[in-house]
Amino acid sequence: EKDKDVADLRKKKKLVDAETDKQLAEVRENEKADVLEIKSNAELVVAKLNSERDVRLSKIRSSGTAESDKIKVETETYIQTKKANAQAEIAKNKAESLKLQADAEAFAAKQLIAKRKYEAKMRSLQSLRALSGNNSLAITGNSKDNIMAQLLANQQGGAVLGINGNF
């Protein structure tokens, strides 16, 4: 009977072990299912967060790019405006410079009229002085029957021909 009791106990133990193994297998399967569910939920949350992050970064980048382009356009406009103003100022200064130069030249021209008259008169006097120093030159009047002019012309003609015309 002891053997029967031992066999019954062993049988019960095997049943308990089998039931325990069955329950452990069920618990392990549930555990695996729960882990997979948690893992997939976590991955879904991570993917959602990454997607939101990417959308926000994209918005930030596009607004940053737009702001950068706006600043570039404003800067270029400012530079062009300043260059145009500078060119206008340069043109104004050049015009003022030309006007001042023309005024100065006009003033100088008025001041130099007397000097030019003096210099012309002096050149004329120097020419007359040079003519007066020329011994082979005689100046006579315009008259057609001017005897002095005729005598002088004959003397000069004789000198050219080699005839001594000294009287």
Side-chain angles (χ1 to χ4, degrees), residues 39-90:
K39 186 176 179 184
S40 66
N41 284 341
E43 287 175 355
L44 181 64
V45 168
V46 168
K48 187 177 177 183
L49 290 174
N50 285 339
S51 175
E52 288 175 3
R53 179 201 64 203
D54 291 344
V55 167
R56 287 181 183 163
L57 284 175
S58 177
K59 285 181 182 177
I60 290 170
R61 280 190 193 112
S62 64
S63 68
T65 302
E67 186 69 21
S68 170
D69 291 344
K70 178 184 169 192
I71 290 171
K72 285 178 185 175
V73 167
E74 288 174 353
T75 303
E76 189 62 30
T77 302
Y78 178 78
I79 289 171
Q80 293 301 326
T81 303
K82 288 299 180 184
K83 282 183 179 178
N85 290 341
Q87 292 296 332
E89 189 67 26
I90 288 170

Side-chain angles (χ1 to χ4, degrees), residues 30 147 160:
N30 287 339
I147 294 176
V160 169

Side-chain angles (χ1 to χ4, degrees), residues 67-162:
E67 186 69 21
S68 170
D69 291 344
K70 178 184 169 192
I71 290 171
K72 285 178 185 175
V73 167
E74 288 174 353
T75 303
E76 189 62 30
T77 302
Y78 178 78
I79 289 171
Q80 293 301 326
T81 303
K82 288 299 180 184
K83 282 183 179 178
N85 290 341
Q87 292 296 332
E89 189 67 26
I90 288 170
K92 179 181 164 189
N93 289 342
K94 282 184 178 179
E96 183 67 23
S97 171
L98 287 174
K99 182 184 179 301
L100 291 173
Q101 187 174 359
D103 291 346
E105 287 176 0
F107 179 77
K110 288 179 185 176
Q111 299 298 319
L112 293 175
I113 289 174
K115 180 181 177 191
R116 286 192 198 109
K117 282 183 181 178
Y118 169 79
E119 287 175 351
K121 195 64 127 168
M122 286 305 291
R123 281 192 300 274
S124 174
L125 289 174
Q126 287 172 349
S127 296
L128 289 175
R129 183 178 292 147
L131 287 174
S132 71
N134 187 349
N135 291 332
S136 60
L137 176 70
I139 299 174
T140 64
N142 246 0
S143 177
K144 292 180 183 176
D145 52 345
N146 187 343
I147 294 176
M148 189 64 156
Q150 289 175 4
L151 284 174
L152 188 58
N154 287 335
Q155 182 183 10
Q156 293 295 327
V160 169
L161 294 174

Side-chain angles (χ1 to χ4, degrees), residues 28-42:
R28 283 187 189 119
E29 284 301 315
N30 287 339
E31 176 188 9
K32 285 180 184 177
D34 289 344
V35 166
L36 284 175
E37 184 180 351
I38 290 169
K39 186 176 179 184
S40 66
N41 284 341

Side-chain angles (χ1 to χ4, degrees), residues 21-32:
D21 287 341
K22 181 181 166 188
Q23 287 177 354
L24 281 175
E26 211 175 284
V27 167
R28 283 187 189 119
E29 284 301 315
N30 287 339
E31 176 188 9
K32 285 180 184 177

